[in-house]
Every structure is written in C-alpha cells, then in structure tokens.
Amino acid sequence: MSQLYTSVQYVKGVGPHIAALLEKRGIRTVSDLILHLPCRYIDRRRIASISDTPVGKERTIIAEVVTSGVAFLGRKRKRIFEVIAKDESGCLEAKWFHFNQSYMPKLFRKGTRVLFAGELTEYNGMKQFVHPEIEILGEDDDSFELGGCLLPIYPLTEGLSQRLLRKIVKNAWEKYEKCLLNPYPNNFLKRHNLMDFKKAVSELHLPPKDADFDLLNTYRTEQHHTVIFTEFFFLELALAIRKASIDKEKGLSFEFNEGVYKSLLAALPFELTSAQKRVIGEIKQDMSRVHPMNRLLQGDVGSGKTIVALAAAVQAVANGYQAVFMAPTEILAEQHYRTIAAIAEKLQIPCALLTAGVKGKMRDEIYKGIESGAIPILIGTHAVIQQDVKFAKLGLAIIDEQHRFGVIQRQALHKKGVKPDVLVMTATPIPRTLAMTLYGDLEISVIDEMPKGRKSIITRIYKDSEHEKLYGGIRTELERGHQIYVVYPLIEESEKIDLKDATEMSKRLAEIFSPQWRVELLHGRMSSEEKERVMNEFKSGKVHILAATSVVEVGVDVPNATVMAIEHSERFGLAQLHQLRGRVGRGDAQSFCIMIVGGRLSEESRRRLNIMVETTDGFKIAEEDLSIRGPGEFLGTRQSGIPEFKLANLVRDVGILQKARQAAFEIIANDPSLGLLQNRLFAEHIKNSGGVEFGKVA
Ligand code: ADP
Ligand code: MG
C-alpha cells in the first residue's frame, strides 16, 4: 500500500497527543488528513473596517480586543460571554450564549487581534456578531493568515485549532503530495466533467484567489464536484464489483409452484394488496434464476411484509428446501412465529421457533429437526440462528432487520457454505438514495401500499403539563375496549436513571388506572420468560396498558391497541417515532399517537415532531430525517455500515451520486474484473487504497 496509508504521526508537527485528537475526528492516516477538507471558507480578500462593513451574512472583520468577560442577561440572569473589539473606525461586540468558561477569557486577552466571521447585525447602534467564527491572529502570523485569501475552515475537535490543523495539513501535503495519484484516465475526466483530482484537493485546501466565494461555501465548485464524485464513484465501483461477483455465483433455482401459492392465498384471512402481489412477483422471478437472490424488501410498518416473505418461504419448501426467518429480537421472532405457524399449519408445513428462551430437550429436538430436514421453516433471532444451527438444505434466508442494518449478517450467512437466496426485510423506509449506496449490490422491492381500511393515525404533541388530558383520552379509549401503549425512552448512557423513571411512570399509571385496568411494565432487563408472559397477556387483552421502554422493540401486532403515547418524544429519532406509531392503527378503530415533550424544545426537535404530525408516509419521514440529521445520525451512526464521506452528502449531492453510480456500474458491466487497459487506473487505485480510501464498504 502507498505511503498515504501510514499513520498520521509521521507528519511533521503531529505527535502522539495531536494524533489522538485527530483520531477523534476519524483521521488516522496521512490520506485521512490530506482528504480532511474544509467545511467552509472565510473571505479575507476584502476585509473592510468595522464602519465600512455593512450588516449581513458572511462578513469578516479584523479587530483588536478592548475588553471581554462574562455578563448576565435578563431577569433570569442568563450567562453570556461578551467581547468588545475595535479598529481605527469603531467598535464591535461579539457574544456567545454557550461558551467554555475557562477557555474563553484566555483567548480574548486585551490587545489580541482577532478575525471575526459570520453574520453581522446591529444592536443598540453597535455592530455585533453572535457566535462568530473566530481566528486569533498572533504576532507570528505567516503569509497564509495575512495575505488576502480565502481562509479554509476545517471541521475541528476540541483541543485542535484552525491554525494548527492548517499547518499540519500543509506539512502533510508538502511531503506526501507525490503519493496522491489521479485515479482517472483523461477521457473519463472529460466525460464526467471532472478536473485533475490532485489539483482539486489542493485547491480545496487553498482556493485560488479568484475562486467564487458563494460556490465554495455551497460545495458547488468544480473542485468539490470532482472530490464528491470520486467519493461516490469508488464506493459504487466496489458495490458494482460485489454485485457482479454475486451475479456470477451459482445458486439455487426454484420453480414456482402455483398450487402452493393458491393454497397460501386461501389460508389468508384477507386479500393481498396489489403492492404485495407485485413484490411477490418480483421475488418469484428472482428465485427462479440460477444465481442467489439478494433482495431488499422495503415496506412501511404494517404494510404486510411478513406474508410476502412467507409466500417466498413456502415456495422454497415446495421445492424441497428449508427456509429460515431471522428477527432482531425475541419478541419479534415470537411474533413472526405466531403469524407464520397459524398459516403454515393450514398448509401442513411444520415450523419451529428457536430463541434463547427455548431450552433443554425442546431445543435439542429442534436442532435435530433442522439437521434432518423434518422442520422446513425455522424462525428465530439473528444471534441464535447464526451461531448454532446446521441446516439439512437451506434454500432461503429471510432477515428481518427492522431498522437495523446488517450487511454483515448477510455475509455471515453466505459463509455458511450454502448459497441460499436472501431476502432482507426492513421497516425503515430508507430513502432511495441511501438504499442505493448502502445496498447497492441488492435488488430492491418496495411495498408502497397499505392494506385497505387502515385509518390514518391522529398524531398530536402534548406538553408535559398536559398529562391530565392524556389520561382522559386513555380512559376514553379503555372504555371503548381498546388497549394502550405508553413508551419511555431509554438512552444507553443513562440507562439506570431512565429505567427508574420508566418504572415510576408505570407505577403512576397503575395508580391512576387500576384496579379497573391492568398496567404492566416491559423492559429489556427482564428475562425472556417474563417478557413473553407480559406480551402474551397484552396480546390476549388481559393487560390493558403496556408501559414499555424503548429498548424493547414494541414490534408486536395488537390490532386492538389504539393509543401510542410516547414520553419524552423529543429524545427519539424520527425513524423510531415512526416505528412506534406503526404499532397502532392496525385494526379498524381510529388510533392516536400522542407525543409528550418534556420541557423546552430545540428548533430541530420541533421540526422533527411537526413532521410526525404532518405526515404518516414513512418514506417522506425518512427523507426529512435524513436531511435534518444527516446520514450518519439517521442510521444510528458508525455501526450502521453506511460509509462515512469526507465531503459528499447523500442529501445535497444525490445528483452526483446518481452519475457516479451509473458510471461505475457501466464500467463493471463491460469489464467486471477491471482488466481492460482503460480501466487499469481504477484497479490500481482500489489495490493501492486497499479499498479503504473512499466509502469503506463493510
Ligand atoms: P410489517 O410490514 O410491519 O411486517 P406485517 O407483516 O406484520 O407488517 O403485517 C401487519 C398486519 O397487517 C398483520 O396483522 C397482517 O396480518 C396484516 N396484513 C398483511 N397484509 C394484509 C392485507 N393485504 N390486508 C389486510 N391485512 C393485512
Ligand atoms: Mg414486521
């Protein structure tokens, strides 16, 4: 591998301490550092005096600190940090409402020259910045800092300063520039409107003097375009290669058994929706081909994915193979088992449930049945099935991911020596753009229609002080014979406290509603027997109010439940809220989702919750979630398997993604092993970077 992938410690100016700070930002190698690109720029080409600078956005002023300190604001005596600074033309004020008390006073000593950048406003006749970008200008400023230039601002981490980062990036660049290769042949550059990659990177660190400032700050320069395209391109290339190799593999070819399909339909208490039928058709085609199926089944909560998966499973069984359903939690596995067993029985197909809770002789028998083939359909949790089970003839694996993303699990299955068809079900309506990058090697089927007769769920935001109103509503619904969920967030870091709060909440509910109504608490620390008992009692209607923490997937199907009340709803992500809401509205009655908020809401939380009120369309919610929180957060960060990009943004840069994807897949379609002369550079690049540079693929 190239020197670019050596540790960042080899860069001049980076010792163990700074290396550790950089690591926090995910910068480990020289390449990471060189490709750590500015997130914005400050225009220092035309810095005017305080009096000559008009109010407005993106202003930059250099001034000298006159005084600074903590001040108290308003009746509540809120603390703020204030700086007064001057130049020859006048004074300005800078304010921080959030600040580090020990750090700020040291920074703004009297006489220090500071560059302020941000939105300039006027307040009481004084020009002012609120939370400006700042740059402390020292005596020893090099020309980089002083010359009229576009000053790059890098994403930082605590303990690193802009100046330090600029310096070490510069050092890295000087020493390792020669190792950075342009990965594209010339005609490719022309065709895709790209510039020389190296030049693009260099000019993003240090933009040319005549660069367009607005384009720079909106990631729209040709330099940005080139780097963003590159990030997407190599990710997509890797996906295309993987897909091509899967397509080449020999797998099972199933013959569609019309008779079995008909008897399945006859066993259902409802008609399939046309979306379900269409998707079954897509799966049928895929299963009949000789290469392994690798399909993602997307469908909103309640859209009826289980039946579709079952339709595929019975086909595998009709062909003499086994099928396995893998669910993320025991409760969900049990739920699938109940649904499936009821229907499979009518078709005389034996099936079994395997979870951690199944023990002793029962467990041994299930193992035996699977190994002999006597059990054609197995349902269980991901963990259990991956670890212990030997199949006689596994033909189809159905992986229910809910909102988790288990690219790895899929691979683990492939490694079991067999090449079963794989159907991954997800209830998170992943926006297409994301599905494309994440699951670029999968075919995608979407159930985009809800079963008939589903009423839309009335969704409201209640303040903490409106609990009485909530309890009134709950009582009305109970009296109508319906059931209630009350969910409490459980955040890992404060799990103990949360659990205590959740327990108290359930006690309070019991005080209010018993003895007429029964309240039970369900949480992740309970044993599986206990969980099952509570779930079963809720399902059978013996328990009326289920108070649950969010670590428990409330992935249950209780059509009689009509209220989903979510405490501290501001602490949940949109996807999770949507999941929770999907637990009600499954029957004929009107259902409600009440999101209770504790305390003041941030702008972002308010926006999020309002989206929930406005729409029940999972795809729309997912798109919004993605744009508010960014892809990493959206998917629950790191473990999600989603690549981390340096500059690219899946929302902003969809257009580029599509082009890069097309380019990559075209190349692989014509040259799957990248053996052709014109594609040598790509192969070289992948080899050199070990496939790690852009878009790490799990
Ligand atoms: P999800 O997509 O969330 O996994 P399920 O498969 O659990 O959804 O289905 C939700 C509920 O809708 C179940 O009770 C199921 O029996 C029912 N259902 C599925 N398909 C239909 C349909 N076409 N018409 C009516 N009800 C359906
Ligand atoms: Mg489901």
Side-chain angles (χ1 to χ4, degrees), residues 276-292:
Q276 283 171 318
K277 285 186 203 148
R278 188 194 70 237
V279 168
I280 290 173
E282 289 165 7
I283 293 171
K284 163 185 158 184
Q285 275 218 335
D286 214 354
M287 285 178 73
S288 71
R289 293 198 293 179
V290 287
H291 73 77

Side-chain angles (χ1 to χ4, degrees), residues 540-595:
S540 65
K542 282 193 205 125
V543 168
H544 305 100
I545 301 178
L546 187 67
T549 64
S550 56
V551 283
V552 177
E553 295 282 341
V554 196
V556 284
D557 190 21
V558 181
N560 189 44
T562 54
V563 178
M564 169 59 69
I566 307 167
E567 295 280 350
H568 288 288
S569 54
E570 74 280 1
R571 283 160 68 181
F572 290 93
L574 267 179
Q576 230 181 338
L577 289 171
H578 181 65
Q579 286 284 328
L580 288 172
R581 180 167 61 184
R583 296 299 133 207
V584 294
R586 302 192 146 221
D588 302 327
Q590 176 63 56
S591 289
F592 306 86
C593 174
I594 308 297
M595 303 182 295

Side-chain angles (χ1 to χ4, degrees), residues 270-273 276 300-307 451 454 557 586:
F270 45 73
E271 284 256 327
L272 293 180
T273 62
Q276 283 171 318
D300 215 337
V301 186
S303 62
K305 293 183 293 294
T306 315
I307 301 302
R454 293 273 162 85
D557 190 21
R586 302 192 146 221

